[in-house]
Amino acid sequence: MRPENCTLVIDVAEVASDRHLTTAEPLVRKHLVWAGRHPWKAVVVAAGAMPATISHVPAGTAIPLRRRDFDLWQRLKDHDIQFADYGVTHPGAGSGRRGPAPNIRYTHQDAWWTYRAPSDGMDNGNTGIYDICQALVSADHWPPTGRHFSWGDEQIALRAAHHAGPGTATQWIAWATSHHLSYVAAQLGLTAIA
């Protein structure tokens, strides 16, 4: 295949800290100089910044985690590159423990607002997701169009109103991913942010 028919993906994998971000930027720039010698159809820089676990996030409160993957792209976009990330999951997703406490990682501007349900030591299933969803739909980072912003936002709004079951970890990731995809598309100018 010829370069002009190919998209080159430079995958940085994890950008977990400011130190990683500072280290990754000059390395990626070096690769972009090399990439500039060829007529690629497109050049994409991919990275992920979501921690492998959010167990360090205090339960019962919304905590922002920086989207260092987006920070890296912002620093490099003068090279006419496209953006890619690992969404609301860690680049090594699948290696974590099973059955996390109810949580949502909600993309807004340069952060993910992370919500975790407190562990009360009782077997209440995943009902903590209702409190998380109620807090989220009341937050400043809830979009003005609310439930209409994405399929995921619709699912979150349903749980905030107790109109659907609490779901599972896989579903919480799906809701957050749906919102993330809609938000990033708007953030990159592919659609309008509502």
Side-chain angles (χ1 to χ4, degrees), residues 30-180:
K30 182 178 178 180
H31 286 84
L32 290 172
V33 168
W34 171 84
R37 296 180 189 147
H38 305 280
W40 301 102
K41 181 177 178 180
V43 177
V44 178
V45 173
M50 180 60 70
T53 176
I54 59 168
S55 61
H56 66 284
V57 172
T61 185
I63 301 293
L65 298 177
R66 274 204 25 231
R67 292 175 54 208
R68 288 183 182 89
D69 47 5
F70 189 69
D71 291 346
L72 179 62
W73 179 78
Q74 290 278 51
R75 292 179 180 194
L76 297 169
K77 69 180 181 180
D78 60 313
H79 286 274
D80 192 30
I81 59 169
Q82 295 180 11
F83 175 77
D85 67 10
Y86 286 84
V88 299
T89 60
H90 182 266
S95 60
R97 68 179 181 87
R98 298 281 181 225
N103 72 84
I104 292 184
R105 299 109 186 259
Y106 198 78
T107 309
H108 183 73
Q109 295 179 350
D110 61 352
W112 293 288
W113 285 91
T114 54
Y115 293 80
R116 281 187 38 225
S119 176
D120 60 9
M122 299 171 65
D123 186 16
N124 290 327
N126 294 328
T127 59
I129 201 70
Y130 295 123
D131 293 334
I132 289 172
C133 292
Q134 287 172 338
L136 180 49
V137 301
S138 300
D140 291 341
H141 43 266
W142 182 248
T145 57
R147 67 177 53 225
H148 304 292
F149 188 77
S150 72
W151 169 81
D153 290 291
E154 173 68 23
Q155 299 307 307
I156 291 166
L158 287 170
R159 275 65 187 189
H162 291 261
H163 288 197
T168 64
T170 300
Q171 291 170 316
W172 309 327
I173 291 290
W175 306 340
T177 298
S178 170
H179 170 80
H180 179 80

